[in-house]
Amino acid sequence: MVYIPKRSVSHILIFKKGRENMLTTLCYLEKDNKYLMLHRNKKEIDINKGKWLGVGGKLENGETPEECLRREVREETGYELRNFKFRGIVTFIFEKFGKEIAEYMHLFSAKNVAGEPIECNEGVFEWVYKNKVYDLSLWEGDKIFLKLLENRSDFFSLKLVYDSDEKLIEVLLDGKEVRR
């Protein structure tokens, strides 16, 4: 049985007793061989504090991943997506505040945006050359799917399992274990 809570926390689903499941999106906006990266440095309580990420967020009740992506990009950046490509599903398994979480992230890339940038309440945006992105403070798993975005054009499924110390302990790509 699937339980969908009220709209304010609709991104959380309960499939397995004791585990929360989150539905999210993430997009890497591209321009002039750069990605638009968000340095998460404004919220005190933030699992991504200090990390650099693409643009995205949690699905609201009844939203498709594409609707969520457009809304999140508009709300966080001020940009409107003109076109984008659904690149893959990334499943994160991790522990947060003593609870096991499974996050199902819909991963996109986009090359055509319109509008003027706005200030974001989660951090600071910067256009970063693609070859310099790996010098930033990234999650270990983010480096893996960024390389997949660069090297693959087909849709992929990636599973990233982190231990309670935020160390990446397991990687599966298209259902097969990846040796690191």
Side-chain angles (χ1 to χ4, degrees), residues 46-156:
D46 184 353
I47 193 166
N48 294 305
K49 187 167 180 73
K51 301 291 188 190
W52 290 80
L53 308 169
V55 182
K58 299 174 184 84
L59 273 75
E60 291 184 354
N61 197 15
E63 255 184 342
T64 66
E66 295 82 5
E67 290 168 331
C68 174
L69 177 67
R70 287 183 184 275
R71 176 184 53 75
E72 288 286 350
V73 168
R74 184 178 55 255
E75 289 175 0
E76 291 183 4
T77 69
Y79 293 129
E80 294 290 334
L81 291 177
R82 292 210 169 143
N83 61 27
F84 53 87
K85 184 176 180 184
F86 193 1
R87 303 292 302 277
I89 294 281
V90 181
T91 304
F92 296 96
I93 305 295
F94 60 97
E95 195 174 300
K96 180 179 174 183
F97 307 122
K99 287 190 175 185
E100 185 177 291
I101 308 286
E103 177 182 344
Y104 302 94
M105 183 181 77
H106 304 78
L107 183 62
F108 295 86
S109 61
K111 294 185 178 180
N112 192 355
V113 297
E116 294 298 319
I118 61 172
E119 189 173 324
C120 179
N121 67 353
E122 296 180 1
V124 177
F125 281 106
E126 184 178 330
W127 288 99
V128 179
Y129 281 102
K130 290 180 180 181
N131 64 348
K132 298 291 184 188
V133 166
Y134 299 98
D135 297 335
L136 302 174
S137 178
L138 303 172
W139 289 101
E140 190 177 345
D142 290 20
K143 294 175 185 178
I144 295 169
F145 60 73
L146 277 164
K147 286 182 181 174
L148 290 169
L149 290 177
E150 293 172 16
N151 297 322
R152 286 181 59 167
S153 59
D154 60 328
F155 190 87
F156 60 86

